[in-house]
Amino acid sequence: MQENTSSNQALLVIDMQIGQCSLEPLPFGREALLSNINQLIDHFHQHRRPVFFVRHAGPPGSPYAAGEAVWNVVPELNRDAERDIFIDKSRASCFDGTPLAELLHQQQIDQAVIVGLKTQYCVDTACRSALALGIKPILIADAHSCINTPQLSAADIIAHHNACLNGPIARVMNTAEFCQSER
C-alpha cells in the first residue's frame, strides 16, 4: 500500500448542507456517506490537519442564501467550531471566487482530500480545479455522492467518476484505505 505524505493535507467537505443532504431526494447511500465523512473529519482532527467545510451560497432571497436553514451544514457532521474553516462559494468550483486556494497555499497544503456532494458537479470540479492550481486531489471513493438522474443512477455516476478521475486527475482511495495508510 502506498503511504500518504499527509503532513500537507487538508480535508474539503463540499456542500454537505441540509438542502442537499437532508431533503428529498436524499443522496445515494446517505448514512454511509455521513459515517465515512465523519471518520475522515475525526482523522483530520486527530492528526491536527485542517478541515474546510464548503457551502454553496445562492444570491440573497434564494433558498440557499447565506443564513437560510437549508444553507447550513448538516448537524450530523463532527464539526469543530474553533478549528474548522467555513468557505462559501457561489459557483461549482470551491476555488473560484473564494479564498480557499490562498488559504491552502498559506498553510503549505499541497494535497486536498475531497468529499461531499454532488459527485458530477462540485466534487468533480473540485478535483479538476485543485489539480489546475497545483494541489494534488485525493478523491475518497466512498465519501461523495449524488442523486439519481433520468440518464444514470447515482451509483453509476459515482462509479464512473471514481474510474475516470483516478490517475490523470486524482488519486482515488476509500475511507478505510486512507485512514489506515497513516497508522
Side-chain angles (χ1 to χ4, degrees):
M1 180 180 312
Q2 187 177 3
E3 182 121 352
N4 286 325
T5 54
S6 54
S7 61
N8 55 354
Q9 293 176 337
L11 178 64
L12 307 184
V13 181
I14 300 172
D15 294 351
M16 290 297 294
Q17 296 164 265
I18 292 170
Q20 293 195 57
C21 192
S22 296
L23 302 177
E24 294 290 337
L26 296 175
F28 174 77
R30 181 183 186 275
E31 296 310 312
L33 175 70
L34 290 167
S35 175
N36 291 337
I37 292 175
N38 272 330
Q39 282 181 340
L40 291 158
I41 291 169
D42 292 346
H43 180 84
F44 273 75
H45 286 162
Q46 179 183 17
H47 288 88
R48 292 189 167 89
R49 294 193 194 108
V51 176
F52 291 84
F53 286 91
V54 180
R55 298 174 291 207
H56 180 78
S62 75
Y64 275 91
E68 295 294 330
V70 297
W71 164 83
N72 289 299
V73 172
V74 292
E76 295 95 330
L77 293 181
N78 299 337
R79 296 169 288 170
D80 182 335
E82 293 181 20
R83 177 188 326 186
D84 297 335
I85 300 162
F86 290 81
I87 302 283
D88 289 332
K89 65 178 180 62
S90 61
R91 299 174 183 100
S93 174
C94 54
F95 297 99
D96 191 14
T98 75
L100 182 58
E102 182 180 337
L103 291 170
L104 294 176
H105 289 303
Q106 285 173 355
Q107 296 181 45
Q108 299 181 324
I109 301 296
D110 64 1
Q111 294 182 7
V113 178
I114 297 171
V115 302
L117 295 171
K118 294 182 176 174
T119 298
Q120 71 274 38
Y121 297 115
C122 299
V123 171
D124 178 273
T125 304
C127 290
R128 295 172 189 274
S129 297
L131 183 64
L133 292 167
I135 300 166
K136 296 174 186 166
I138 299 173
L139 177 62
I140 304 299
D142 56 0
H144 64 92
S145 190
C146 56
I147 60 172
N148 293 331
T149 69
Q151 296 79 25
L152 293 171
S153 71
D156 287 341
I157 294 168
I158 294 163
H160 170 79
H161 279 76
N162 286 340
C164 75
L165 293 173
N166 191 29
I169 306 295
R171 181 174 177 203
V172 177
M173 308 172 76
N174 65 37
T175 300
E177 178 186 12
F178 178 84
C179 292
Q180 290 173 359
S181 68
E182 298 184 333
R183 288 189 176 158

